Amino acid sequence: EALGLMWKDIDFNTGMMTVDRSLVYTLEHREGVINPLMKTDASHRKIPMSPEVIAVLRKMKSYSDSLYVFSMKDGKPLSESSFRRMWDLISYRKIGGPSTGDYIQKTLDFDVHPHQLRHTCCTRWIASGMTAKEVQYLMGHATADMTMNVYAEYLESQHLESTAKKITAETLRLAT
């Protein structure tokens, strides 16, 4: 979905981002195909952006001639190989060397796929106290059950820990 974002989907005045399409890579189309047919009606949504995201997007927009937020130099959507190269760069960063100049440092010590970050985001939203309906909407899931079925294991372990603490506290209170 992020790779299908166009600048017209970003409303800097309201701070809302509209999700209406995705970029799909196929064996026949390694350069990517814009797909306006989302998985469900719920996939079409408006997402509020934080001030930090708005600031980054404003800066990106200032030097972009593309219709797409994430694009190739020629303005077309990112090809599959360009996306993979870009994703590889995320796990490394250029930093100043001791006295010899710049060098590259690996910033992640594990392999991660962008979809895993989506799961992490959803899990953190739930842990922060957002309701299942809020998270369902932001994730573009058709139902809250879908959201909760995917992330219920985390919630169960979180609730078990909380319940255990309550039991311990109540047991100590009764014993005194």
Side-chain angles (χ1 to χ4, degrees), residues 69-96:
V69 174
F70 302 101
S71 66
M72 307 282 286
K73 285 183 182 179
D74 64 5
K76 293 180 183 175
L78 285 179
S79 67
E80 183 176 22
S81 61
S82 290
F83 171 73
R84 288 183 189 278
R85 281 192 303 275
M86 180 191 73
W87 186 251
D88 286 343
L89 290 174
I90 290 171
S91 62
Y92 293 88
R93 65 181 169 160
K94 190 174 186 177
I95 59 176

Side-chain angles (χ1 to χ4, degrees), residues 14-98:
T14 64
M16 299 298 279
M17 172 189 307
T18 302
V19 178
D20 269 337
R21 73 193 67 74
S22 63
L23 180 66
V24 179
Y25 301 117
T26 66
L27 291 174
E28 300 83 29
H29 299 284
R30 295 285 188 195
E31 73 281 1
V33 176
I34 295 297
N35 182 13
L37 303 174
M38 304 291 276
K39 287 182 183 179
T40 67
D41 287 343
S43 297
H44 298 273
R45 60 205 186 275
K46 291 188 180 299
I47 299 175
M49 299 179 293
S50 70
E52 295 82 7
V53 168
I54 293 169
V56 168
L57 289 174
R58 276 188 199 278
K59 186 174 181 180
M60 287 173 59
K61 175 80 170 119
S62 71
Y63 59 81
S64 174
D65 293 325
S66 175
L67 295 174
Y68 297 93
V69 174
F70 302 101
S71 66
M72 307 282 286
K73 285 183 182 179
D74 64 5
K76 293 180 183 175
L78 285 179
S79 67
E80 183 176 22
S81 61
S82 290
F83 171 73
R84 288 183 189 278
R85 281 192 303 275
M86 180 191 73
W87 186 251
D88 286 343
L89 290 174
I90 290 171
S91 62
Y92 293 88
R93 65 181 169 160
K94 190 174 186 177
I95 59 176

